[in-house]
Amino acid sequence: DADAQAMGFDAGDIDVALNISTETSSKYKGTENLWVLNYPSAYGLVVNAGPTGPDFLKDVRVRKALYIAIDKDAIIDVIGGPDMHPALGGWVAYGLGGVDGDFRTERDAKGYEAHYDPEEAKRLLAEAGYDGSDDAHTIHLTYKYSTNSYHADVATMLQQMWTAVGVDVDFDAVESGVYYGQLDNGDIQIGRYGLQVSDSPISFLDWLSGDKQVTSLAGDEHFDQMLRDVRSVSDEKEFLTRVHEIEDYFIQEQFLMFPMWQNAQPALVKSNLKGYELHITTLWFGNCYFE
């Protein structure tokens, strides 16, 4: 229990608290007791442009417009700030090896053309035939999310941002057990998704292939073929270079997934405890000692 752990830590009964609330982490922000665990864990929006998705999401101009209408930084500020939720320009989270360093960091260094731009979003929607002049020229979007955590707060902010560019937005909130079954079956337009990976950057991408999904949400054969082809590449650097190209195609060209932020987990540790480590997704206390 998060409250019990916080109380135990405050009282000196425990040395490490791995499950704490946002309120507790805010209390300890800026102190040496707060340990922010940056697992390779991403939060984003999955888009159904596949066979069960609505026609408007099959248009890349609409997908791009919906993506650049989102002010990620504004949402991040509400749910805990950039220290807890670093913004992501790509879907692969920080913390996994790339060609010459961290996979995410080396791609971010090149910059991105797609960024928050509500006026450009309006222009793209109008170009695609959705200028909001009447009901027939207005997108009616249903955003689906699971009811736990802060997903409802995120949904409300997304609704405000999409409404601002002329999109009519409804919610569909369901329990987690129901949510993922509906997502697998393609019973979704746009919805939230989270993923944590401990091995290769490609694991952030290949679950989205039509070869692995029950119902293809992307509906993109070129993307599927790129994933098939890269698996025959034996040279590690060439392999990771190709994975960068696949991510760019999927995220920055086709906008089939909207990356939002990395999910970091706050923890508390006593200031005199040393030697604790995070190895990708594994916590290691084997070398710990007290000063």
Side-chain angles (χ1 to χ4, degrees):
D1 178 79
D3 291 335
Q5 288 199 26
M7 291 174 62
F9 187 87
D10 289 341
D13 295 332
I14 59 175
D15 302 304
V16 179
L18 294 177
N19 179 31
I20 63 171
S21 67
T22 302
E23 291 75 19
T24 299
S25 66
S26 297
K27 172 184 172 182
Y28 281 91
K29 187 175 182 179
T31 74
E32 58 186 356
N33 296 114
L34 184 64
W35 183 22
V36 179
L37 304 169
N38 283 308
Y39 297 108
S41 174
Y43 186 105
L45 310 183
V46 61
V47 179
N48 187 1
T52 62
D55 288 341
F56 63 81
L57 286 178
K58 294 177 173 60
D59 190 324
V60 67
R61 295 170 297 183
V62 171
R63 299 196 298 269
K64 181 177 181 179
L66 292 171
Y67 176 63
I68 65 176
I70 300 171
D71 186 348
K72 297 180 194 178
D73 292 336
I75 300 177
I76 289 170
D77 285 343
V78 170
I79 62 172
D83 290 339
M84 291 303 305
H85 303 288
L88 290 176
W91 178 230
V92 179
Y94 297 98
L96 297 176
V99 179
D100 294 306
D102 182 85
F103 185 92
R104 180 79 280 123
T105 301
E106 65 189 16
R107 173 62 186 87
D108 289 353
K110 299 179 181 179
Y112 299 98
E113 294 183 8
H115 53 84
Y116 175 56
D117 190 343
E119 292 306 313
E120 175 65 5
K122 292 178 185 177
R123 189 194 70 77
L124 286 170
L125 290 173
E127 183 181 294
Y130 302 102
D131 60 6
S133 58
D134 56 34
D135 190 68
H137 294 88
T138 299
I139 288 177
H140 299 280
L141 172 67
T142 299
Y143 178 74
K144 183 171 289 191
Y145 62 92
S146 49
T147 52
N148 59 317
S149 193
Y150 50 66
H151 306 316
D153 294 334
V154 173
T156 299
M157 288 180 279
L158 288 172
Q159 182 186 46
Q160 294 169 351
M161 293 169 187
W162 284 330
T163 299
V165 298
V167 177
D168 178 57
V169 183
D170 286 326
F171 297 149
D172 186 10
V174 296
E175 294 182 358
S176 293
V178 175
Y179 178 81
Y180 290 104
Q182 291 181 346
L183 187 146
D184 287 342
N185 292 320
D187 182 16
I188 190 173
Q189 292 187 354
I190 295 181
R192 51 83 36 194
Y193 199 84
L195 185 64
Q196 179 173 299
V197 167
S198 61
D199 47 13
S200 169
I202 198 173
S203 297
F204 271 103
L205 298 165
D206 64 359
W207 74 272
L208 289 156
S209 76
D211 296 338
K212 289 198 172 183
Q213 292 188 318
V214 177
T215 300
S216 176
L217 295 176
D220 190 308
E221 176 57 30
H222 181 60
F223 170 67
D224 293 344
Q225 190 60 50
M226 291 175 81
L227 286 169
R228 295 181 197 120
D229 292 343
V230 78
R231 293 195 175 281
S232 64
V233 177
S234 57
D235 180 80
E236 183 180 12
K237 288 186 180 293
E238 181 184 351
F239 170 80
L240 290 166
T241 298
R242 296 270 290 273
V243 175
H244 274 300
E245 294 170 357
I246 295 170
E247 185 192 43
D248 282 350
Y249 172 79
F250 194 77
I251 301 295
Q252 296 295 322
E253 294 182 35
Q254 295 302 313
F255 302 94
L256 290 163
M257 183 93 194
F258 300 167
M260 298 289 279
W261 52 77
Q262 182 146 344
N263 276 327
Q265 178 182 329
L268 297 176
V269 293
K270 288 294 179 63
S271 58
N272 64 332
L273 179 64
K274 308 296 180 181
Y276 51 88
E277 300 171 341
L278 173 64
H279 297 274
I280 306 180
T281 60
T282 302
L283 292 171
W284 176 246
F285 293 96
N287 295 326
C288 278
Y289 62 95
F290 288 100
E291 285 189 336

